[in-house]
């Protein structure tokens, strides 16, 4: 959060809250004031770090510019600890568009062994549990469970390129 003139007010509020002995009785929970003080200190520390290292956000953004999975906002938080300077960033959780096309799903399902594919179908399409699948296919519930897990792992690998 950029400094916008509210820092002196936040510092004054923090000093007041810390210095008052009876203010805690106004709160139902004793932990709420402590959390408020902690949050105020974090906001002010981030602002102090931003003022102390004004170009760090731009430098970090430039360092990660070639990676489309990372986004660093101009008003990102900065934290300083014993390990160094930290800049808050957004990370893309995963590419969920290309890997989930109907063709990709159909191909991934077709690559499953027949029993595994049938167990997956019964679980997802007919909403059967492990015991019902085992009864229908005349297999043990443990086998139904392990084959279903194996189907999920195989589909995850096929659709997202993840390793086990």
């Amino acid at each position: 959060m950029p400094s916008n003139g509210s820092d002196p007010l936040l510092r004054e509020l923090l000093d007041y809250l810390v210095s008052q002995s009876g203010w805690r009785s106004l709160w139902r929970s004793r932990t709420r004031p402590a959390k408020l003080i902690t949050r105020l200190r974090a906001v002010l520390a981030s602002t102090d770090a931003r003022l102390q290292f004004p170009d760090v956000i731009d430098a970090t953004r430039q360092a990660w510019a070639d990676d489309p999975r990372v986004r660093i906002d101009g008003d990102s938080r900065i934290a300083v600890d014993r390990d160094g300077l930290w800049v808050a960033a957004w990370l893309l959780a995963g590419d969920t568009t290309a890997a989930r096309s109907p063709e990709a799903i159909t191909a991934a399902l077709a690559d499953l062994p027949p029993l595994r594919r049938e167990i997956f179908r019964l679980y997802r399409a007919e909403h059967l549990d492990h015991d019902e699948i085992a009864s229908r296919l005349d297999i043990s519930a443990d086998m139904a469970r392990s084959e279903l897990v194996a189907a999920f792992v195989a589909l995850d690998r096929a659709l997202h390129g993840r390793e086990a």
Side-chain angles (χ1 to χ4, degrees), residues 37-59:
I37 288 172
T38 301
R39 289 180 64 199
L40 280 170
R41 285 181 175 151
V43 166
L44 292 170
S46 179
T47 301
D48 290 344
R50 191 174 296 103
L51 294 173
Q52 190 176 358
F53 306 102
D55 299 327
V56 74
I57 292 175
D58 288 334

Side-chain angles (χ1 to χ4, degrees), residues 23-25 27-35:
W23 66 273
R24 290 188 175 143
S25 64
W27 301 86
R28 274 188 210 162
S29 166
R30 291 178 186 255
T31 60
R32 189 167 182 197
K35 288 180 182 178

Side-chain angles (χ1 to χ4, degrees), residues 64-134:
W64 287 92
D66 293 336
D67 193 336
R69 299 168 298 160
V70 178
R71 186 180 85 206
I72 301 171
D73 296 333
D75 62 345
S76 291
R77 286 187 48 230
I78 298 173
V80 181
D81 68 10
R82 63 186 166 109
D83 294 324
L85 202 58
W86 296 83
V87 175
W90 293 94
L91 300 176
L92 182 63
D95 183 7
T96 59
T97 55
R100 294 189 180 222
S101 68
E103 296 81 16
I105 294 171
T106 301
L109 287 170
D111 287 342
L112 292 176
L115 178 63
R116 198 169 288 170
R117 184 173 48 246
E118 180 62 12
I119 289 172
F120 181 80
R121 187 191 69 74
L122 291 171
Y123 181 79
R124 294 298 284 204
E126 297 188 27
H127 307 288
L128 301 181
D129 65 22
H130 303 112
D131 293 326
E132 293 167 325
I133 293 170

